[in-house]
């Protein structure tokens, strides 16, 4: 059995990602997942953290998804995104798709320039979410709810990643609506 303790370790996720992604990108993607969802920083995702990650990435509002994406870009948890952080994520995504790295850098620089509203060289979470929400195509893409929600009940809001709606809030809004 691959996960006898009922948890996914960062090493196991990296191993799985390396089977489907080129070179070191599996490690980068696994690190991004763990930096956002391994809230107790123990190097593994327990069942609740895994379900929250699955739910948050599939069934949240576009704005909530953007808060999660911001955390993915903000690799050093500084509260802002630098051009270097954005280029690294874009380079990984483009390489995974077999696209030219130069295109990744150009795209990252263009997007960074449009999101850095005050031109201070950093993108705050507010700038990131606001800028992305002004892009109709982005909002439409993030609104795609074709995936079914996982069957989850009563997961504590204290384990919900920063900026994401808790499952408790989702359940209460569905019952009141």
């Amino acid at each position: 059995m691959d996960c006898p303790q009922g948890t996914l370790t960062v090493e196991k996720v990296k191993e799985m990602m390396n089977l489907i992604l080129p070179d070191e990108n599996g490690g980068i993607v696994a690190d991004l997942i763990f930096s956002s969802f391994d809230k107790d920083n123990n190097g593994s995702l327990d069942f609740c953290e895994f379900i929250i990650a699955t739910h948050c990435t599939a069934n949240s509002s576009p704005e909530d998804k953007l808060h999660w994406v911001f955390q993915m870009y903000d690799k050093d948890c500084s509260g802002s995104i630098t051009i270097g952080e954005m280029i690294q994520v874009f380079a990984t995504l483009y390489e995974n798709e077999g696209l030219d790295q130069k295109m990744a850098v150009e795209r990252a620089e263009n997007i960074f320039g449009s999101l850095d509203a005050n031109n201070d060289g950093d993108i705050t979470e507010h700038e990131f979410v606001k800028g992305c929400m002004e892009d109709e195509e982005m909002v439409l893409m993030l609104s795609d709810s074709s995936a079914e929600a996982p069957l989850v009940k009563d997961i504590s809001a204290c384990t919900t990643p920063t900026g994401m709606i808790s499952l408790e809030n989702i359940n209460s809004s569905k019952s009141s609506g």
Side-chain angles (χ1 to χ4, degrees):
M1 181 174 235
D2 284 336
C3 301
Q5 303 301 320
T7 61
L8 283 171
T9 64
V10 68
E11 291 80 18
K12 183 63 179 173
V13 174
K14 286 179 182 181
E15 179 185 319
M16 292 185 315
M17 291 289 127
N18 284 332
L19 293 174
I20 58 173
L21 299 174
D23 300 326
E24 300 166 356
N25 292 349
I28 294 169
V29 171
D31 289 341
L32 292 172
I33 291 168
F34 275 77
S35 68
S36 294
F37 294 105
D38 181 18
K39 288 305 179 185
D40 56 8
N41 294 313
N42 67 353
S44 65
L45 293 179
D46 62 28
F47 182 73
C48 286
E49 289 169 326
F50 175 76
I51 292 299
I52 288 169
T54 303
H55 179 82
C56 289
T57 56
N59 299 297
S60 295
S61 72
E63 189 170 346
D64 287 337
K65 288 177 184 176
L66 288 168
H67 286 286
W68 179 75
V69 170
F70 178 87
Q71 290 176 5
M72 181 180 76
Y73 279 107
D74 184 18
K75 294 179 63 94
D76 64 0
C77 301
S78 65
S80 64
I81 301 170
T82 64
I83 186 65
E85 288 170 323
M86 185 167 277
I87 288 172
Q88 183 179 11
V89 172
F90 269 78
T92 300
L93 295 172
Y94 273 59
E95 185 176 335
N96 288 344
E97 295 299 319
L99 299 172
D100 180 40
Q101 294 297 296
K102 184 178 178 188
M103 288 173 43
V105 172
E106 290 172 3
R107 181 78 171 142
E109 289 172 344
N110 287 337
I111 290 173
F112 190 90
S114 69
L115 294 176
D116 186 13
N118 62 0
N119 296 313
D120 66 351
D122 286 321
I123 300 173
T124 65
E125 189 166 357
H126 175 76
E127 287 174 316
F128 181 81
V129 173
K130 184 177 183 293
C132 290
M133 289 299 291
E134 291 172 356
D135 183 329
E136 290 180 27
E137 187 176 326
M138 173 78 69
V139 173
L140 184 61
M141 179 184 69
L142 292 171
S143 297
D144 181 12
S145 59
S146 59
E148 289 293 319
L151 299 173
V152 182
K153 289 186 178 182
D154 300 325
I155 294 180
S156 171
C158 69
T159 60
T160 303
T162 305
M164 300 299 286
I165 189 167
S166 74
L167 297 179
E168 292 166 343
N169 290 340
I170 292 170
N171 290 336
S172 66
S173 67
K174 285 183 178 177
S175 63
S176 66

